[in-house]
mmCIF file of all heavy atoms in Angstrom:
data_model
loop_
_atom_site.group_PDB
_atom_site.id
_atom_site.type_symbol
_atom_site.label_atom_id
_atom_site.label_comp_id
_atom_site.label_asym_id
_atom_site.label_seq_id
_atom_site.Cartn_x
_atom_site.Cartn_y
_atom_site.Cartn_z
ATOM 1 N N GLU Y 45 2.995 -3.768 11.315
ATOM 2 C CA GLU Y 45 3.397 -3.028 12.503
ATOM 3 C C GLU Y 45 2.191 -2.542 13.307
ATOM 4 O O GLU Y 45 2.193 -1.447 13.850
ATOM 5 C CB GLU Y 45 4.279 -1.856 12.094
ATOM 6 C CG GLU Y 45 5.493 -2.314 11.341
ATOM 7 C CD GLU Y 45 6.542 -1.245 11.192
ATOM 8 O OE1 GLU Y 45 6.202 -0.057 11.119
ATOM 9 O OE2 GLU Y 45 7.705 -1.616 11.156
ATOM 10 N N LYS Y 48 2.871 -1.555 16.992
ATOM 11 C CA LYS Y 48 3.583 -0.279 17.033
ATOM 12 C C LYS Y 48 2.602 0.882 16.835
ATOM 13 O O LYS Y 48 2.660 1.885 17.541
ATOM 14 C CB LYS Y 48 4.646 -0.293 15.934
ATOM 15 C CG LYS Y 48 5.677 0.764 15.992
ATOM 16 C CD LYS Y 48 6.714 0.486 14.895
ATOM 17 C CE LYS Y 48 7.796 1.504 14.832
ATOM 18 N NZ LYS Y 48 8.760 1.254 13.773
ATOM 19 N N LEU Y 51 0.319 1.377 19.969
ATOM 20 C CA LEU Y 51 1.027 2.066 21.045
ATOM 21 C C LEU Y 51 1.210 3.552 20.724
ATOM 22 O O LEU Y 51 1.004 4.412 21.588
ATOM 23 C CB LEU Y 51 2.373 1.395 21.303
ATOM 24 C CG LEU Y 51 2.307 -0.041 21.817
ATOM 25 C CD1 LEU Y 51 3.693 -0.662 21.835
ATOM 26 C CD2 LEU Y 51 1.668 -0.096 23.186
ATOM 27 N N TYR Y 77 11.487 5.220 2.347
ATOM 28 C CA TYR Y 77 11.410 4.687 3.707
ATOM 29 C C TYR Y 77 11.095 3.195 3.690
ATOM 30 O O TYR Y 77 11.626 2.434 4.483
ATOM 31 C CB TYR Y 77 10.358 5.441 4.524
ATOM 32 C CG TYR Y 77 10.278 4.962 5.954
ATOM 33 C CD1 TYR Y 77 11.275 5.284 6.853
ATOM 34 C CD2 TYR Y 77 9.231 4.177 6.397
ATOM 35 C CE1 TYR Y 77 11.228 4.843 8.157
ATOM 36 C CE2 TYR Y 77 9.174 3.722 7.698
ATOM 37 C CZ TYR Y 77 10.176 4.065 8.584
ATOM 38 O OH TYR Y 77 10.129 3.611 9.869
ATOM 39 N N PHE Y 108 8.104 11.425 13.473
ATOM 40 C CA PHE Y 108 9.374 11.268 14.182
ATOM 41 C C PHE Y 108 9.313 10.094 15.148
ATOM 42 O O PHE Y 108 10.216 9.251 15.186
ATOM 43 C CB PHE Y 108 9.737 12.553 14.934
ATOM 44 C CG PHE Y 108 11.042 12.438 15.679
ATOM 45 C CD1 PHE Y 108 12.231 12.634 15.012
ATOM 46 C CD2 PHE Y 108 11.068 12.114 17.031
ATOM 47 C CE1 PHE Y 108 13.441 12.516 15.685
ATOM 48 C CE2 PHE Y 108 12.264 11.986 17.703
ATOM 49 C CZ PHE Y 108 13.461 12.187 17.032
ATOM 50 N N SER Y 109 8.249 10.020 15.914
ATOM 51 C CA SER Y 109 8.104 8.916 16.866
ATOM 52 C C SER Y 109 8.052 7.575 16.155
ATOM 53 O O SER Y 109 8.659 6.596 16.595
ATOM 54 C CB SER Y 109 6.834 9.093 17.701
ATOM 55 O OG SER Y 109 6.939 10.217 18.536
ATOM 56 N N TYR Y 110 7.325 7.529 15.051
ATOM 57 C CA TYR Y 110 7.189 6.279 14.296
ATOM 58 C C TYR Y 110 8.532 5.819 13.743
ATOM 59 O O TYR Y 110 8.878 4.648 13.804
ATOM 60 C CB TYR Y 110 6.174 6.454 13.178
ATOM 61 C CG TYR Y 110 6.025 5.232 12.312
ATOM 62 C CD1 TYR Y 110 5.329 4.121 12.771
ATOM 63 C CD2 TYR Y 110 6.584 5.182 11.050
ATOM 64 C CE1 TYR Y 110 5.196 2.990 11.989
ATOM 65 C CE2 TYR Y 110 6.457 4.057 10.261
ATOM 66 C CZ TYR Y 110 5.759 2.970 10.734
ATOM 67 O OH TYR Y 110 5.640 1.855 9.958
ATOM 68 N N LYS Y 111 9.281 6.764 13.184
ATOM 69 C CA LYS Y 111 10.529 6.400 12.516
ATOM 70 C C LYS Y 111 11.694 6.173 13.465
ATOM 71 O O LYS Y 111 12.511 5.290 13.235
ATOM 72 C CB LYS Y 111 10.922 7.498 11.518
ATOM 73 C CG LYS Y 111 10.080 7.524 10.284
ATOM 74 C CD LYS Y 111 10.446 8.662 9.379
ATOM 75 C CE LYS Y 111 11.872 8.564 8.923
ATOM 76 N NZ LYS Y 111 12.229 9.632 7.987
ATOM 77 N N TYR Y 112 11.784 6.975 14.521
ATOM 78 C CA TYR Y 112 13.012 6.954 15.308
ATOM 79 C C TYR Y 112 12.847 6.490 16.755
ATOM 80 O O TYR Y 112 13.782 5.981 17.340
ATOM 81 C CB TYR Y 112 13.650 8.345 15.308
ATOM 82 C CG TYR Y 112 13.960 8.817 13.911
ATOM 83 C CD1 TYR Y 112 13.255 9.848 13.332
ATOM 84 C CD2 TYR Y 112 14.959 8.213 13.164
ATOM 85 C CE1 TYR Y 112 13.536 10.278 12.043
ATOM 86 C CE2 TYR Y 112 15.252 8.628 11.876
ATOM 87 C CZ TYR Y 112 14.537 9.668 11.332
ATOM 88 O OH TYR Y 112 14.812 10.080 10.058
ATOM 89 N N GLU Y 113 11.696 6.681 17.336
ATOM 90 C CA GLU Y 113 11.535 6.340 18.740
ATOM 91 C C GLU Y 113 10.987 4.933 18.956
ATOM 92 O O GLU Y 113 11.215 4.344 19.996
ATOM 93 C CB GLU Y 113 10.599 7.342 19.429
ATOM 94 C CG GLU Y 113 11.194 8.718 19.523
ATOM 95 C CD GLU Y 113 10.274 9.700 20.204
ATOM 96 O OE1 GLU Y 113 9.058 9.478 20.265
ATOM 97 O OE2 GLU Y 113 10.794 10.718 20.688
ATOM 98 N N MET Y 114 10.266 4.406 18.000
ATOM 99 C CA MET Y 114 9.610 3.120 18.188
ATOM 100 C C MET Y 114 10.359 2.037 17.423
ATOM 101 O O MET Y 114 9.866 1.462 16.467
ATOM 102 C CB MET Y 114 8.149 3.201 17.750
ATOM 103 C CG MET Y 114 7.450 4.336 18.431
ATOM 104 S SD MET Y 114 5.728 4.191 18.756
ATOM 105 C CE MET Y 114 5.444 2.634 19.416
ATOM 106 N N LEU Y 115 11.557 1.744 17.880
ATOM 107 C CA LEU Y 115 12.378 0.736 17.234
ATOM 108 C C LEU Y 115 12.033 -0.644 17.771
ATOM 109 O O LEU Y 115 11.771 -0.811 18.960
ATOM 110 C CB LEU Y 115 13.865 1.026 17.477
ATOM 111 C CG LEU Y 115 14.388 2.357 16.948
ATOM 112 C CD1 LEU Y 115 15.828 2.557 17.376
ATOM 113 C CD2 LEU Y 115 14.278 2.405 15.442
ATOM 114 N N THR Y 116 12.086 -1.626 16.900
ATOM 115 C CA THR Y 116 11.867 -2.997 17.328
ATOM 116 C C THR Y 116 13.163 -3.559 17.907
ATOM 117 O O THR Y 116 14.251 -2.990 17.732
ATOM 118 C CB THR Y 116 11.425 -3.883 16.148
ATOM 119 O OG1 THR Y 116 12.488 -3.932 15.197
ATOM 120 C CG2 THR Y 116 10.158 -3.361 15.511
ATOM 121 N N LYS Y 117 13.062 -4.685 18.561
ATOM 122 C CA LYS Y 117 14.228 -5.342 19.144
ATOM 123 C C LYS Y 117 15.250 -5.659 18.053
ATOM 124 O O LYS Y 117 16.456 -5.464 18.246
ATOM 125 C CB LYS Y 117 13.786 -6.618 19.862
ATOM 126 C CG LYS Y 117 14.904 -7.371 20.528
ATOM 127 C CD LYS Y 117 14.383 -8.622 21.217
ATOM 128 C CE LYS Y 117 15.518 -9.408 21.830
ATOM 129 N NZ LYS Y 117 15.066 -10.634 22.459
ATOM 130 N N GLU Y 118 14.766 -6.131 16.901
ATOM 131 C CA GLU Y 118 15.659 -6.467 15.798
ATOM 132 C C GLU Y 118 16.395 -5.239 15.276
ATOM 133 O O GLU Y 118 17.585 -5.309 14.957
ATOM 134 C CB GLU Y 118 14.871 -7.132 14.650
ATOM 135 C CG GLU Y 118 14.344 -8.507 14.980
ATOM 136 C CD GLU Y 118 13.041 -8.477 15.792
ATOM 137 O OE1 GLU Y 118 12.369 -7.420 15.833
ATOM 138 O OE2 GLU Y 118 12.710 -9.504 16.393
ATOM 139 N N GLU Y 119 15.691 -4.116 15.191
ATOM 140 C CA GLU Y 119 16.321 -2.885 14.707
ATOM 141 C C GLU Y 119 17.397 -2.410 15.683
ATOM 142 O O GLU Y 119 18.459 -1.943 15.261
ATOM 143 C CB GLU Y 119 15.265 -1.800 14.516
ATOM 144 C CG GLU Y 119 14.324 -2.059 13.359
ATOM 145 C CD GLU Y 119 13.141 -1.102 13.316
ATOM 146 O OE1 GLU Y 119 12.729 -0.590 14.377
ATOM 147 O OE2 GLU Y 119 12.636 -0.879 12.210
ATOM 148 N N ILE Y 120 17.142 -2.531 16.969
ATOM 149 C CA ILE Y 120 18.124 -2.136 17.979
ATOM 150 C C ILE Y 120 19.350 -3.041 17.891
ATOM 151 O O ILE Y 120 20.494 -2.572 17.943
ATOM 152 C CB ILE Y 120 17.492 -2.175 19.388
ATOM 153 C CG1 ILE Y 120 16.407 -1.099 19.500
ATOM 154 C CG2 ILE Y 120 18.559 -1.993 20.471
ATOM 155 C CD1 ILE Y 120 15.548 -1.217 20.739
ATOM 156 N N GLU Y 121 19.123 -4.345 17.744
ATOM 157 C CA GLU Y 121 20.230 -5.292 17.622
ATOM 158 C C GLU Y 121 21.061 -5.018 16.373
ATOM 159 O O GLU Y 121 22.294 -5.016 16.421
ATOM 160 C CB GLU Y 121 19.699 -6.724 17.591
ATOM 161 C CG GLU Y 121 19.175 -7.211 18.914
ATOM 162 C CD GLU Y 121 18.512 -8.579 18.831
ATOM 163 O OE1 GLU Y 121 18.350 -9.115 17.698
ATOM 164 O OE2 GLU Y 121 18.148 -9.114 19.889
ATOM 165 N N SER Y 123 21.382 -2.214 14.762
ATOM 166 C CA SER Y 123 22.100 -0.957 14.952
ATOM 167 C C SER Y 123 23.324 -1.158 15.845
ATOM 168 O O SER Y 123 24.404 -0.620 15.570
ATOM 169 C CB SER Y 123 21.170 0.084 15.566
ATOM 170 O OG SER Y 123 21.862 1.261 15.846
#
Side-chain angles (χ1 to χ4, degrees):
E45 302 193 329
K48 193 174 179 181
L51 296 172
Y77 182 73
F108 180 83
S109 293
Y110 177 75
K111 287 177 61 177
Y112 301 110
E113 293 180 339
M114 307 210 46
L115 299 175
T116 64
K117 181 180 177 182
E118 291 81 17
E119 290 170 333
I120 294 169
E121 288 174 354
S123 176

